[in-house]
Amino acid sequence: MSDRYSRQILFAPIGIDGQRRIEKKHVLIIGLGALGSSISEMLTRAGVGKLTLIDRDYVEESNLQRQQLYTEMDAKEKMPKVVAAKHRLSEINHDVYINAIVGEADILILEQLAPNVDLIIDGTDNFEIRFILNDIAHKYNVPWIFGSCVGSFGSTYTIIPGKTPCLHCLLQKIPMRGQTCDTVGIIAPTVQMVTSYQVAEALKILSESEKALRNTYITFDLWENQYLSIKTSDAIRNMDCPTCGKERTYPFLAFEEQTKFAVLCGRNTVQIRPSTISHLSLGELASQWKQAGYEVKQNPYLVSIQKEEIRLVLFKDGRALIHGTNDPAKARRIYYSLMG
């Protein structure tokens, strides 16, 4: 075996046998932003056999502060993140097979990939995709690792189908912040803290050391020096959960549960309609966006925000109009960057 992994092999919980298992495993990483780029680099250096990377976005200058795989040239050329990542990762370790997919991690492609992977890792920026991942992982009995970060706040949780509460169960008990990096920013150490937890859990799963897996939901705030580890006991798991309960329906894989996107003919506008009516607090969102430096206008029925050449108009029921583009992928990226 190559000397490349000698220090990892010297770590007794992995050893030679664990390293050999890692080299045979296939990991699916959804999102190649801050979390995904860090995760993919650590797993490439650790010698995982195959990585499948999915991301719809391209590299921008604002990414370089925390997304460690990318360069100024990638941003200048607006290189798709998975293409830039594959090039860099192949230079780091040519023995790792990199399957790079430029596009949306939609249900169709996830249904095709999930039966052939050993682990799914979350590097996304919105909860719609995370709930789809949660359903996919349970449908195909694949472990997955949730991760989230914004500002100096991060959280992570390892989900093993049939053994732990799923994300759907968890979020009935633990509230999540509705902030995004575009509204409150982010510092790079937050990213590294989350991904360190995620990759440590990944190595346990890939080396088949499941007994060492953490059974807690971890959340922290690096700036405020706060840390909380919540034990995810069976009390949190809901036996009536449609994702992990006794009678599973996997609701987030159903068409009616997905956010709908429609290009409005002749208006250079994309309409986004969430699956459920949420009755948002427009005042709260307007205040948050103003603090982030955006141009915001509001009346009792809607709030409008200007973001460069794009204007987003958000209604109280969660429906949004993205003016200035007829590209659903671009509209989706803007929507999630502002809404979380």
Side-chain angles (χ1 to χ4, degrees):
M1 183 172 289
S2 169
D3 189 55
R4 173 190 288 267
Y5 309 114
S6 61
R7 301 305 185 271
Q8 190 161 281
I9 290 168
L10 279 172
F11 180 65
I14 292 180
I16 293 176
D17 290 341
Q19 185 62 40
R20 286 174 176 158
R21 295 184 189 109
I22 289 170
E23 291 177 17
K24 294 177 181 178
K25 295 299 196 295
H26 180 188
V27 179
L28 171 61
I29 301 175
I30 309 297
L32 262 290
L35 294 178
S37 59
S38 176
I39 293 163
S40 62
E41 179 175 343
M42 281 194 272
L43 288 179
T44 296
R45 292 185 185 278
V48 68
K50 180 177 180 180
L51 288 177
T52 292
L53 314 175
I54 305 179
D55 194 285
R56 63 183 179 227
D57 209 353
Y58 56 85
V59 182
E60 298 178 279
E61 187 178 22
S62 64
N63 301 151
L64 302 180
Q65 165 254 350
R66 66 198 180 281
Q67 299 182 21
Q68 63 191 48
L69 285 182
Y70 311 126
T71 67
E72 291 181 347
M73 186 58 68
D74 293 328
K76 183 178 180 180
E77 296 179 352
K78 296 189 181 300
M79 191 66 64
K81 288 184 178 179
V82 293
V83 175
K86 180 176 180 177
H87 175 73
R88 174 71 175 135
L89 295 173
S90 298
E91 289 183 330
I92 291 170
N93 190 346
H94 69 276
D95 288 331
V96 176
Y97 181 81
I98 310 291
N99 177 28
I101 300 173
V102 181
E104 190 73 28
D106 59 25
I107 293 169
L108 180 62
I109 195 166
L110 291 173
E111 291 265 18
Q112 294 172 346
L113 291 170
N116 303 307
V117 302
D118 299 290
L119 175 65
I120 300 171
I121 305 184
D122 169 28
T124 66
D125 59 2
N126 72 84
F127 274 93
E128 181 183 17
I129 295 178
R130 288 176 179 133
F131 279 123
I132 291 172
L133 289 181
N134 193 50
D135 274 6
I136 285 284
H138 284 80
K139 182 176 180 179
Y140 292 100
N141 197 35
V142 181
W144 80 282
I145 303 172
F146 160 79
S148 177
C149 58
V150 65
S152 58
F153 174 86
S155 56
T156 180
Y157 176 55
T158 303
I159 300 169
I160 310 296
K163 295 183 180 179
T164 65
C166 77
L167 188 67
H168 198 188
C169 294
L170 194 69
L171 294 193
Q172 304 299 316
K173 303 289 184 180
I174 299 174
M176 293 289 170
R177 300 187 177 194
Q179 301 168 326
T180 76
C181 296
D182 276 31
T183 58
V184 300
I186 186 168
I187 56 173
T190 308
V191 176
Q192 299 306 317
M193 180 71 85
V194 173
T195 58
S196 292
Y197 279 115
Q198 286 182 293
V199 175
E201 291 289 279
L203 290 175
K204 295 172 191 177
I205 291 170
L206 300 175
S207 65
E208 300 177 14
S209 303
E210 288 86 354
K211 288 183 179 179
L213 286 170
R214 191 185 65 246
N215 63 349
T216 59
Y217 172 89
I218 285 179
T219 180
F220 60 83
D221 188 324
L222 289 177
W223 205 261
E224 298 298 331
N225 305 306
Q226 296 171 351
Y227 177 93
L228 182 63
S229 180
I230 304 171
K231 189 172 178 63
T232 55
S233 64
D234 287 339
I236 292 178
R237 189 175 177 191
N238 178 10
M239 288 299 103
D240 295 322
C241 174
T243 296
C244 71
K246 292 180 180 178
E247 297 183 10
R248 303 179 182 186
T249 58
Y250 308 114
F252 295 96
L253 302 184
F255 176 78
E256 59 270 16
E257 289 293 333
Q258 299 167 40
T259 297
K260 311 301 188 299
F261 300 85
V263 178
L264 303 189
C265 184
R267 293 183 58 187
N268 198 29
T269 297
V270 176
Q271 176 178 267
I272 299 179
R273 184 184 296 276
S275 59
T276 57
I277 296 175
S278 53
H279 297 292
L280 302 169
S281 170
L282 296 182
E284 224 174 89
L285 286 168
S287 175
Q288 183 173 290
W289 290 335
K290 283 178 183 176
Q291 289 178 11
Y294 296 113
E295 181 184 334
V296 179
K297 296 179 180 179
Q298 183 186 2
N299 65 35
Y301 311 101
L302 58 86
V303 59
S304 171
I305 175 173
Q306 192 76 28
K307 182 179 170 68
E308 298 172 354
E309 78 282 6
I310 300 295
R311 185 166 64 96
L312 179 147
V313 177
L314 180 69
F315 298 86
K316 291 182 74 172
D317 63 358
R319 182 172 57 91
L321 298 176
I322 313 295
H323 298 285
T325 182
N326 57 12
D327 181 355
K330 183 176 181 180
R332 180 186 284 118
R333 181 164 61 91
I334 293 165
Y335 180 80
Y336 286 133
S337 74
L338 293 168
M339 296 294 293

